[in-house]
Amino acid sequence: NAGVTQTPKFQVLKTGQSMTLQCAQDMNHNSMYWYRQDPGMGLRLIYYSASEGTTDKGEVPNGYNVSRLNKREFSLRLESAAPSQTSVYFCASRPGASGNTIYFGEGSWLTVV
Amino acid sequence: DQQVKQNSPSLSVQEGRISILNCDYTNSMFDYFLWYKKYPAEGPTFLISISSIKDKNEDGRFTVFLNKSAKHLSLHIVPSQPGDSAVYFCAASAWGAQKLVFGQGTRLTINP
């Protein structure tokens, strides 16, 4: 039972490079999320998708774009990476709206030099 | 504007004793609260939740208490075990909302 799968697990980028973090869930969940975790800041929401075909900004969307490719997949793109985007990125999914538990992937460690 | 706050970055407890982790929130629309546990190099995993219609929820060694008037919740772990050493995140959501707002996390260390 894979749950939420993220790739890549580790990545080093140079400033200005672009890359896409991939996420897929096999739980038939409607909602998907991208969070970043930084020391002392907790988990901050970057973007989310309430359902296939919709995306919305979270707390810290600047510098990122997302695509809800289908119900299973939700990708996060950094168009021009900056050192401030060095972080651990977590994809998550949730069956529906409030009252349901959110399930996380194992994380993607991104370093921008 | 930090809507969910965990004011203790770290907590150290002796094995077998009670661990109490605290969380405060400011948004009165929040009515569903969760605790997540995170080990290094892993994603957060769900631990326990509580709805605003309750003031207590238990699951084995874990109990969450909710004080709506004080906008405060706490997680009690009794007895604490070495495997409980992890970072604990408090999270909150409003009914029908898509967003789950997390606190900064508290690093719990259980000492033998």
Side-chain angles (χ1 to χ4, degrees):
Chain A
N1 188 7
V4 179
T5 304
Q6 297 179 228
T7 56
K9 190 142 178 103
F10 300 98
Q11 183 73 48
V12 179
L13 283 179
K14 292 183 178 179
T15 297
Q17 285 186 317
S18 62
M19 77 156 297
T20 300
L21 298 175
Q22 307 286 353
C23 176
Q25 51 94 6
D26 62 2
M27 297 176 282
N28 201 36
H29 287 172
N30 289 321
S31 304
M32 296 187 73
Y33 305 81
W34 277 105
Y35 284 88
R36 60 178 286 175
Q37 184 195 3
D38 302 291
M41 304 295 286
L43 292 157
R44 293 183 293 168
L45 182 64
I46 305 171
Y47 269 94
Y48 67 99
S49 169
S51 61
E52 185 179 349
T54 68
T55 60
D56 284 287
K57 295 179 181 179
E59 300 172 69
V60 289
N62 292 343
Y64 305 95
N65 285 304
V66 290
S67 295
R68 183 75 183 266
L69 304 170
N70 47 55
K71 191 170 187 179
R72 288 188 65 246
E73 298 172 289
F74 188 40
S75 62
L76 178 72
R77 182 160 178 84
L78 287 70
E79 291 291 351
S80 179
S84 61
Q85 294 178 303
T86 293
S87 188
V88 185
Y89 291 85
F90 291 99
C91 179
S93 70
R94 194 179 195 188
S98 182
N100 301 121
T101 302
I102 188 170
Y103 297 88
F104 285 90
E106 294 197 339
S108 296
W109 274 254
L110 177 65
T111 302
V112 183
V113 297
Chain B
D1 177 27
Q2 190 77 31
Q3 297 186 70
V4 179
K5 296 180 183 179
Q6 294 175 256
N7 292 317
S8 298
S10 62
L11 177 67
S12 186
V13 174
Q14 195 169 0
E15 182 178 359
R17 298 289 187 105
I18 183 171
S19 296
I20 300 176
L21 295 94
N22 294 303
C23 178
D24 297 295
Y25 62 97
T26 57
N27 190 337
S28 58
M29 299 298 290
F30 288 153
D31 59 2
Y32 189 68
F33 305 89
L34 306 89
W35 285 93
Y36 280 81
K37 178 179 181 178
K38 185 185 179 303
Y39 291 121
E42 295 184 10
T45 55
F46 170 73
L47 191 58
I48 192 169
S49 63
I50 188 166
S51 163
S52 61
I53 61 173
K54 294 184 174 182
D55 53 19
K56 177 182 174 182
N57 189 28
E58 287 182 82
D59 184 1
R61 296 186 298 114
F62 302 93
T63 303
V64 56
F65 295 92
L66 176 61
N67 182 333
K68 291 184 286 294
S69 61
K71 293 190 177 68
H72 177 84
L73 64 156
S74 61
L75 174 68
H76 293 210
I77 306 173
V78 183
S80 299
Q81 299 174 353
D84 296 330
S85 294
V87 176
Y88 290 79
F89 290 100
C90 167
S93 178
W95 180 256
Q98 286 290 336
K99 299 179 188 179
L100 199 58
V101 181
F102 284 83
Q104 304 96 313
T106 296
R107 181 176 301 278
L108 175 65
T109 302
I110 306 301
N111 302 307

